[in-house]
Amino acid sequence: MSSPVTKTSFDPHPDTLITAAQRLARGEITSRQLVEHCLNKIETCENARAAFTGDFSAERARQYADAADRIRAKGYQASPWAGVPISVKDLFDIKGQVTRAGSTILADRPPALSDAEAIAPLRDAGFIFIGRTQMTEFAYSGLGLNPHGPQPWNTLIDEGKAIPGGSSSGGAVSVATGAALAAIGSDTGGSCRIPAAMNALTGYKPSAGRISRAGMIPLSPSFDSVGSIARTVSDCALLDHLMACGNPGHWSAPESVESGLRLLLPTSFVRNDADAQVLAVFETVMRHLESGGIEIVRQPLPLLQDIADLNIQAQIVAAESFHYFHDDLIHHPDQFDPRVSERMMMGEHTSVQTLRQLFIERQKLIARFNAEMSGFDAMICPTTPILPPQIAACIDPDSYGRFNRLVLRNPSLANLLDGCSITLPLNWKGLPAGIMLTACNGQDSRVQRVARRCEARLNAS
């Protein structure tokens, strides 16, 4: 049973990436003030502190902030984002730090000699990495739980501790509590979008080949992608642009699609087994979007049932993760979260022939999706069909598996179909849920523009 929802009181950072850069340029705030706000949250808010692995230096962050302020005071600005603090998932190499991927197995690895290729352009743009964020071990779950600790929890539910969503759990909590202005994460089956939706944030999963994954510990190369969590579509679009293109000087916020917007809402599958409260609010929001001139076409999408029947993604992820972590699974089985190792071991006996057939079937599904989306700007549906359950309710293995399958089901469609996808907060009395837009591969700019239009309409409610 899902958690009761009451909006908790916390003080998020008042700025987005965009507004922080604007205020820095006008001299209204300093980078040191931005950093001190984040550090204060980490020091005084237990949940914000739990969002981080401990791999951060307050003094180093202050030194970077002071340097950015000195340069800006002299009238020189290499980048408008210089001195803005963000967090990075413990899956990406950061020069001089150990990348553990939420595990104890990798704790003895040497520090990274260079930044991951997705992270390097962010450093070049002047962002301050306020800290590494907690995650599900090896990113293999949508619930955001990790027995190795620390364990962040949902920022919108007051009664007990509910799941934060995962696997980029700490990233979402760092932004929601104000300990970072945005977060870099990974998304293999919804790992940016699930925690974003469950903490009333925006989360983006780009087309998988858009951003390099070099220097990122993989879970499943067939589905891994580099994403972001922030407060607005523009912030996510900015981070996506920098990681994909590496040029802060040639970026402008995506313009909203103002006319002719046509969205496909599947009438089955994505709504199955949904919480009544999620569906009720989702339908209210759909009517609100329609009243703002957005056409929403409700019709079946038979492709989705075929996806459920074939179970392609689960088999490929298990096989690829098993082979990547094979030696550790054999030699250090007791160091794994058993909920993770059990899923990896399911790929032990998947043959090369079986994998080849799964890849063929996946390509057929991608082709069908591209054809069936003709005439639509994006597919729209609830990001997750359920509200965040209590952490205690996920201890039982059967309940853990059931909740995990439910929260992953809708977001993982974009990964399987090689598309791009974004979740927007429902913005309805702090409901920890979202609406998700998914488009075909390579349509990243388009789906960001569509999301801007929906975001503006949601904010007008």
Side-chain angles (χ1 to χ4, degrees), residues 205-235:
K205 173 237 173 304
S207 299
R210 180 172 169 81
I211 299 172
S212 171
R213 289 164 287 175
M216 179 183 105
I217 294 177
L219 174 63
S220 174
S222 292
F223 303 109
D224 293 341
S225 56
V226 179
S228 56
I229 300 171
R231 294 199 168 275
T232 67
V233 174
S234 291
D235 278 4

mmCIF file of all heavy atoms in Angstrom, residues 205-235:
data_model
loop_
_atom_site.group_PDB
_atom_site.id
_atom_site.type_symbol
_atom_site.label_atom_id
_atom_site.label_comp_id
_atom_site.label_asym_id
_atom_site.label_seq_id
_atom_site.Cartn_x
_atom_site.Cartn_y
_atom_site.Cartn_z
ATOM 1 N N LYS A 205 16.097 11.998 -19.465
ATOM 2 C CA LYS A 205 16.862 10.903 -20.051
ATOM 3 C C LYS A 205 17.009 11.184 -21.544
ATOM 4 O O LYS A 205 16.039 11.161 -22.285
ATOM 5 C CB LYS A 205 16.146 9.570 -19.848
ATOM 6 C CG LYS A 205 16.819 8.391 -20.582
ATOM 7 C CD LYS A 205 15.834 7.720 -21.508
ATOM 8 C CE LYS A 205 16.431 6.666 -22.401
ATOM 9 N NZ LYS A 205 17.556 7.069 -23.251
ATOM 10 N N PRO A 206 18.225 11.457 -22.006
ATOM 11 C CA PRO A 206 18.418 11.754 -23.421
ATOM 12 C C PRO A 206 18.460 10.480 -24.261
ATOM 13 O O PRO A 206 18.483 9.361 -23.725
ATOM 14 C CB PRO A 206 19.779 12.442 -23.445
ATOM 15 C CG PRO A 206 20.524 11.794 -22.331
ATOM 16 C CD PRO A 206 19.490 11.528 -21.259
ATOM 17 N N SER A 207 18.471 10.633 -25.557
ATOM 18 C CA SER A 207 18.777 9.510 -26.433
ATOM 19 C C SER A 207 20.117 8.935 -25.989
ATOM 20 O O SER A 207 21.077 9.678 -25.750
ATOM 21 C CB SER A 207 18.854 9.971 -27.893
ATOM 22 O OG SER A 207 17.619 10.519 -28.313
ATOM 23 N N ALA A 208 20.191 7.614 -25.878
ATOM 24 C CA ALA A 208 21.328 6.988 -25.194
ATOM 25 C C ALA A 208 22.678 7.345 -25.807
ATOM 26 O O ALA A 208 23.663 7.527 -25.091
ATOM 27 C CB ALA A 208 21.144 5.482 -25.179
ATOM 28 N N GLY A 209 22.759 7.460 -27.112
ATOM 29 C CA GLY A 209 24.037 7.735 -27.749
ATOM 30 C C GLY A 209 24.425 9.201 -27.759
ATOM 31 O O GLY A 209 25.481 9.565 -28.289
ATOM 32 N N ARG A 210 23.623 10.049 -27.167
ATOM 33 C CA ARG A 210 23.842 11.492 -27.235
ATOM 34 C C ARG A 210 25.025 11.940 -26.374
ATOM 35 O O ARG A 210 25.744 12.874 -26.737
ATOM 36 C CB ARG A 210 22.556 12.206 -26.804
ATOM 37 C CG ARG A 210 22.614 13.712 -26.823
ATOM 38 C CD ARG A 210 21.233 14.289 -26.558
ATOM 39 N NE ARG A 210 21.260 15.714 -26.301
ATOM 40 C CZ ARG A 210 21.319 16.648 -27.234
ATOM 41 N NH1 ARG A 210 21.357 16.283 -28.503
ATOM 42 N NH2 ARG A 210 21.330 17.928 -26.922
ATOM 43 N N ILE A 211 25.221 11.307 -25.229
ATOM 44 C CA ILE A 211 26.251 11.723 -24.277
ATOM 45 C C ILE A 211 27.179 10.542 -24.007
ATOM 46 O O ILE A 211 26.721 9.426 -23.751
ATOM 47 C CB ILE A 211 25.621 12.211 -22.960
ATOM 48 C CG1 ILE A 211 24.727 13.432 -23.217
ATOM 49 C CG2 ILE A 211 26.695 12.562 -21.939
ATOM 50 C CD1 ILE A 211 23.907 13.859 -22.018
ATOM 51 N N SER A 212 28.479 10.792 -24.038
ATOM 52 C CA SER A 212 29.457 9.732 -23.809
ATOM 53 C C SER A 212 29.305 9.122 -22.420
ATOM 54 O O SER A 212 29.084 9.824 -21.435
ATOM 55 C CB SER A 212 30.876 10.288 -23.967
ATOM 56 O OG SER A 212 31.836 9.334 -23.558
ATOM 57 N N ARG A 213 29.476 7.806 -22.358
ATOM 58 C CA ARG A 213 29.431 7.096 -21.073
ATOM 59 C C ARG A 213 30.817 6.648 -20.634
ATOM 60 O O ARG A 213 30.943 5.886 -19.674
ATOM 61 C CB ARG A 213 28.485 5.901 -21.187
ATOM 62 C CG ARG A 213 27.018 6.317 -21.272
ATOM 63 C CD ARG A 213 26.136 5.191 -21.758
ATOM 64 N NE ARG A 213 26.341 4.947 -23.191
ATOM 65 C CZ ARG A 213 25.773 3.954 -23.864
ATOM 66 N NH1 ARG A 213 24.979 3.108 -23.249
ATOM 67 N NH2 ARG A 213 26.006 3.799 -25.152
ATOM 68 N N ALA A 214 31.848 7.114 -21.311
ATOM 69 C CA ALA A 214 33.213 6.795 -20.906
ATOM 70 C C ALA A 214 33.484 7.381 -19.525
ATOM 71 O O ALA A 214 33.175 8.541 -19.262
ATOM 72 C CB ALA A 214 34.210 7.345 -21.921
ATOM 73 N N GLY A 215 34.039 6.564 -18.633
ATOM 74 C CA GLY A 215 34.284 7.022 -17.275
ATOM 75 C C GLY A 215 33.081 6.869 -16.374
ATOM 76 O O GLY A 215 33.078 7.392 -15.252
ATOM 77 N N MET A 216 32.086 6.133 -16.820
ATOM 78 C CA MET A 216 30.895 5.834 -16.023
ATOM 79 C C MET A 216 30.817 4.321 -15.846
ATOM 80 O O MET A 216 30.948 3.573 -16.817
ATOM 81 C CB MET A 216 29.637 6.338 -16.735
ATOM 82 C CG MET A 216 28.344 6.066 -16.015
ATOM 83 S SD MET A 216 26.899 6.626 -16.982
ATOM 84 C CE MET A 216 26.274 5.055 -17.570
ATOM 85 N N ILE A 217 30.636 3.847 -14.633
ATOM 86 C CA ILE A 217 30.532 2.409 -14.407
ATOM 87 C C ILE A 217 29.220 1.928 -15.011
ATOM 88 O O ILE A 217 28.145 2.426 -14.658
ATOM 89 C CB ILE A 217 30.599 2.080 -12.908
ATOM 90 C CG1 ILE A 217 31.983 2.422 -12.373
ATOM 91 C CG2 ILE A 217 30.282 0.604 -12.645
ATOM 92 C CD1 ILE A 217 32.156 2.211 -10.902
ATOM 93 N N PRO A 218 29.266 0.966 -15.917
ATOM 94 C CA PRO A 218 28.046 0.551 -16.612
ATOM 95 C C PRO A 218 27.209 -0.419 -15.797
ATOM 96 O O PRO A 218 27.703 -1.116 -14.915
ATOM 97 C CB PRO A 218 28.600 -0.129 -17.866
ATOM 98 C CG PRO A 218 29.905 -0.725 -17.411
ATOM 99 C CD PRO A 218 30.462 0.251 -16.413
ATOM 100 N N LEU A 219 25.943 -0.443 -16.103
ATOM 101 C CA LEU A 219 25.068 -1.518 -15.653
ATOM 102 C C LEU A 219 24.698 -2.370 -16.852
ATOM 103 O O LEU A 219 24.891 -3.581 -16.864
ATOM 104 C CB LEU A 219 23.804 -0.965 -14.981
ATOM 105 C CG LEU A 219 22.761 -2.022 -14.606
ATOM 106 C CD1 LEU A 219 23.313 -2.988 -13.567
ATOM 107 C CD2 LEU A 219 21.470 -1.365 -14.120
ATOM 108 N N SER A 220 24.189 -1.691 -17.892
ATOM 109 C CA SER A 220 23.817 -2.379 -19.130
ATOM 110 C C SER A 220 24.107 -1.448 -20.290
ATOM 111 O O SER A 220 23.335 -0.520 -20.548
ATOM 112 C CB SER A 220 22.330 -2.749 -19.103
ATOM 113 O OG SER A 220 21.915 -3.299 -20.332
ATOM 114 N N PRO A 221 25.199 -1.645 -21.012
ATOM 115 C CA PRO A 221 25.560 -0.754 -22.121
ATOM 116 C C PRO A 221 24.465 -0.585 -23.158
ATOM 117 O O PRO A 221 24.399 0.454 -23.833
ATOM 118 C CB PRO A 221 26.801 -1.415 -22.720
ATOM 119 C CG PRO A 221 27.406 -2.188 -21.590
ATOM 120 C CD PRO A 221 26.233 -2.686 -20.783
ATOM 121 N N SER A 222 23.591 -1.556 -23.289
ATOM 122 C CA SER A 222 22.510 -1.450 -24.273
ATOM 123 C C SER A 222 21.487 -0.389 -23.891
ATOM 124 O O SER A 222 20.781 0.137 -24.757
ATOM 125 C CB SER A 222 21.803 -2.801 -24.431
ATOM 126 O OG SER A 222 22.651 -3.753 -25.028
ATOM 127 N N PHE A 223 21.386 -0.067 -22.592
ATOM 128 C CA PHE A 223 20.330 0.829 -22.134
ATOM 129 C C PHE A 223 20.813 2.021 -21.320
ATOM 130 O O PHE A 223 20.042 2.957 -21.092
ATOM 131 C CB PHE A 223 19.311 0.050 -21.293
ATOM 132 C CG PHE A 223 18.702 -1.121 -22.010
ATOM 133 C CD1 PHE A 223 19.020 -2.421 -21.667
ATOM 134 C CD2 PHE A 223 17.811 -0.924 -23.052
ATOM 135 C CE1 PHE A 223 18.463 -3.499 -22.330
ATOM 136 C CE2 PHE A 223 17.246 -1.995 -23.722
ATOM 137 C CZ PHE A 223 17.576 -3.291 -23.362
ATOM 138 N N ASP A 224 22.059 2.003 -20.862
ATOM 139 C CA ASP A 224 22.561 3.107 -20.035
ATOM 140 C C ASP A 224 22.522 4.441 -20.781
ATOM 141 O O ASP A 224 22.815 4.499 -21.975
ATOM 142 C CB ASP A 224 24.011 2.847 -19.610
ATOM 143 C CG ASP A 224 24.158 1.675 -18.663
ATOM 144 O OD1 ASP A 224 23.164 1.280 -18.049
ATOM 145 O OD2 ASP A 224 25.287 1.161 -18.547
ATOM 146 N N SER A 225 22.186 5.493 -20.065
ATOM 147 C CA SER A 225 22.289 6.841 -20.612
ATOM 148 C C SER A 225 22.625 7.800 -19.478
ATOM 149 O O SER A 225 22.420 7.489 -18.302
ATOM 150 C CB SER A 225 20.985 7.264 -21.309
ATOM 151 O OG SER A 225 19.885 7.160 -20.429
ATOM 152 N N VAL A 226 23.146 8.952 -19.823
ATOM 153 C CA VAL A 226 23.542 9.969 -18.844
ATOM 154 C C VAL A 226 22.448 11.028 -18.788
ATOM 155 O O VAL A 226 22.107 11.636 -19.809
ATOM 156 C CB VAL A 226 24.886 10.618 -19.233
ATOM 157 C CG1 VAL A 226 25.272 11.690 -18.213
ATOM 158 C CG2 VAL A 226 25.977 9.561 -19.352
ATOM 159 N N GLY A 227 21.899 11.252 -17.604
ATOM 160 C CA GLY A 227 20.792 12.195 -17.481
ATOM 161 C C GLY A 227 20.999 13.219 -16.390
ATOM 162 O O GLY A 227 22.097 13.348 -15.823
ATOM 163 N N SER A 228 19.941 13.948 -16.094
ATOM 164 C CA SER A 228 20.033 15.022 -15.109
ATOM 165 C C SER A 228 18.720 15.173 -14.359
ATOM 166 O O SER A 228 17.654 14.764 -14.830
ATOM 167 C CB SER A 228 20.395 16.348 -15.797
ATOM 168 O OG SER A 228 19.458 16.651 -16.819
ATOM 169 N N ILE A 229 18.822 15.783 -13.172
ATOM 170 C CA ILE A 229 17.667 16.092 -12.327
ATOM 171 C C ILE A 229 17.800 17.546 -11.913
ATOM 172 O O ILE A 229 18.861 17.976 -11.444
ATOM 173 C CB ILE A 229 17.623 15.188 -11.088
ATOM 174 C CG1 ILE A 229 17.523 13.713 -11.496
ATOM 175 C CG2 ILE A 229 16.467 15.571 -10.177
ATOM 176 C CD1 ILE A 229 17.680 12.745 -10.338
ATOM 177 N N ALA A 230 16.736 18.308 -12.091
ATOM 178 C CA ALA A 230 16.770 19.731 -11.751
ATOM 179 C C ALA A 230 15.350 20.200 -11.461
ATOM 180 O O ALA A 230 14.425 19.394 -11.364
ATOM 181 C CB ALA A 230 17.401 20.533 -12.893
ATOM 182 N N ARG A 231 15.179 21.518 -11.368
ATOM 183 C CA ARG A 231 13.847 22.049 -11.053
ATOM 184 C C ARG A 231 13.058 22.442 -12.288
ATOM 185 O O ARG A 231 11.842 22.566 -12.222
ATOM 186 C CB ARG A 231 13.973 23.255 -10.113
ATOM 187 C CG ARG A 231 14.505 22.870 -8.750
ATOM 188 C CD ARG A 231 14.225 23.909 -7.682
ATOM 189 N NE ARG A 231 14.527 23.313 -6.379
ATOM 190 C CZ ARG A 231 13.708 22.574 -5.676
ATOM 191 N NH1 ARG A 231 12.498 22.332 -6.134
ATOM 192 N NH2 ARG A 231 14.059 22.057 -4.524
ATOM 193 N N THR A 232 13.727 22.612 -13.408
ATOM 194 C CA THR A 232 13.036 23.074 -14.608
ATOM 195 C C THR A 232 13.518 22.335 -15.843
ATOM 196 O O THR A 232 14.604 21.754 -15.854
ATOM 197 C CB THR A 232 13.259 24.587 -14.825
ATOM 198 O OG1 THR A 232 14.642 24.809 -15.131
ATOM 199 C CG2 THR A 232 12.855 25.403 -13.605
ATOM 200 N N VAL A 233 12.713 22.408 -16.881
ATOM 201 C CA VAL A 233 13.091 21.836 -18.168
ATOM 202 C C VAL A 233 14.348 22.516 -18.698
ATOM 203 O O VAL A 233 15.262 21.861 -19.217
ATOM 204 C CB VAL A 233 11.932 21.965 -19.174
ATOM 205 C CG1 VAL A 233 12.378 21.512 -20.563
ATOM 206 C CG2 VAL A 233 10.720 21.175 -18.709
ATOM 207 N N SER A 234 14.406 23.839 -18.575
ATOM 208 C CA SER A 234 15.562 24.574 -19.103
ATOM 209 C C SER A 234 16.857 24.153 -18.426
ATOM 210 O O SER A 234 17.906 24.048 -19.073
ATOM 211 C CB SER A 234 15.356 26.083 -18.954
ATOM 212 O OG SER A 234 14.329 26.530 -19.813
ATOM 213 N N ASP A 235 16.813 23.923 -17.107
ATOM 214 C CA ASP A 235 18.012 23.480 -16.405
ATOM 215 C C ASP A 235 18.480 22.116 -16.912
ATOM 216 O O ASP A 235 19.671 21.894 -17.142
ATOM 217 C CB ASP A 235 17.748 23.407 -14.899
ATOM 218 C CG ASP A 235 17.872 24.761 -14.219
ATOM 219 O OD1 ASP A 235 18.086 25.764 -14.930
ATOM 220 O OD2 ASP A 235 17.743 24.824 -12.984
#
